[in-house]
Amino acid sequence: MKSMGGTGTAGTDGPTGATGITGAAGATGSAGATGSAGATGSAGARAKRLPRAEREQQMLDAAVRTFGRRGYRAASMDEIAELAGASKPLVYLYLNSKEDLFTACIRREAAALLEAVRTEALRTGAGQAESGIPADRRLWAGLTAFFRHTSGNPDGWAVLHRQAHTHGEPFAAEVATLREEVVAFVTELIGEAAREVHQDADLADRDVAGLAHALVGAAESLADWANGTPGVSAREAAGTLMHFAWSGLGNLMRGEGWSPAR
């Protein structure tokens, strides 16, 4: 493993992890022809030297696809390495272990999902009461961005919503962090919408966190359903949740909360 790490120049990987080991023999040049073959032979031609960050992203792409479709336990490092166009030793060199690789996948996909929702929020003024955009349009924008991302990245969503939840710590903790950030965003959105209507901070604070958790849970479940149902678009999924949720939220914001019959 040490000789493999030492063969690549700083910031790049060797042609493959396996050729990195044989490359050391080529570098010694004990036989001129052999040394030349070690440097320029077919093994070197099979793989292109890439910056480490780019190679890692290729590995993560392959891992997300494999974990998302086969599951954490069924996925093999051999399969991931082959799909990434790298050797298994190189995957281990860069990402240490299967567990660490899966954790890296969770973190990357979580960051991408949050970025997609936040970018749309900034573009449309979602979560910004002073933007002048009605509360329902801001919620619609956030939900559409969420469903657009989950439908466009089904393997990543499967990693976050199915695989990470079912294999215990530390994976579940990684997803819990993502969920807390999404809930915080929705809590802020609902709270600001309520304040817009009532100018009443007490109303905005009361039960808003519970409503946000309920809405996020519904969105997660609906994304799972939409990804498994042919023909369901992101706009359709977002519209379904708006139909389900907004009537109740809208009534609450007007001070017309539900109560059990007496």
Side-chain angles (χ1 to χ4, degrees):
M1 186 69 75
K2 188 176 291 184
S3 62
M4 176 179 65
T7 58
T9 58
T12 64
D13 57 57
T16 68
T19 55
I21 297 172
T22 60
T28 61
S30 57
T34 302
S36 174
T40 63
S42 60
R46 280 199 302 268
K48 179 182 177 183
R49 223 176 250 267
L50 294 173
R52 176 168 181 145
E54 186 175 344
R55 176 67 81 187
E56 283 185 356
Q57 289 308 307
Q58 287 184 341
M59 293 174 183
L60 288 173
D61 288 342
V64 167
R65 179 177 175 182
T66 305
F67 288 134
R69 298 182 184 187
R70 292 180 58 78
Y72 175 71
R73 300 202 184 281
S76 73
M77 295 295 275
D78 290 288
E79 184 178 3
I80 292 169
E82 182 177 359
L83 188 59
S87 70
K88 186 165 75 169
L90 192 63
V91 176
Y92 276 111
L93 178 66
Y94 279 14
L95 294 157
N96 300 322
S97 67
K98 184 178 179 180
E99 181 177 305
D100 286 348
L101 176 58
F102 190 56
T103 299
C105 290
I106 294 170
R107 289 175 179 171
R108 190 187 76 164
E109 296 307 305
L113 176 57
L114 283 171
E115 179 64 21
V117 173
R118 285 172 174 164
T119 297
E120 186 66 12
L122 290 173
R123 190 182 73 79
T124 62
Q128 302 171 46
E130 68 275 11
S131 67
I133 299 173
D136 62 329
R137 303 304 299 178
R138 299 203 306 272
L139 181 58
W140 162 257
L143 289 175
T144 302
F146 175 83
F147 288 116
R148 185 184 301 122
H149 185 84
T150 56
S151 65
N153 301 273
D155 294 333
W157 179 244
V159 165
L160 290 174
H161 188 60
R162 293 184 183 178
Q163 301 303 322
H165 277 300
T166 58
H167 294 291
E169 297 290 350
F171 309 136
E174 294 287 343
V175 177
T177 299
L178 163 69
R179 200 172 194 279
E180 286 171 6
E181 294 192 51
V182 175
V183 167
F185 170 77
V186 176
T187 298
E188 182 180 0
L189 178 59
I190 294 174
E192 287 179 349
R195 282 192 292 272
E196 278 181 43
V197 175
H198 290 280
Q199 303 297 314
D200 181 351
D202 291 337
L203 177 66
D205 291 338
R206 187 172 62 243
D207 295 330
V208 166
L211 290 169
H213 276 278
L215 186 60
V216 171
E220 291 171 340
S221 182
L222 189 58
D224 207 34
W225 170 81
N227 281 1
T229 305
V232 178
S233 68
R235 287 179 62 85
E236 183 180 350
T240 297
L241 190 53
M242 287 295 293
H243 286 310
F244 175 75
W246 186 251
S247 294
L249 288 172
N251 288 339
L252 178 64
M253 291 173 193
R254 290 190 294 271
E256 301 171 5
W258 178 86
S259 63
R262 296 182 183 277

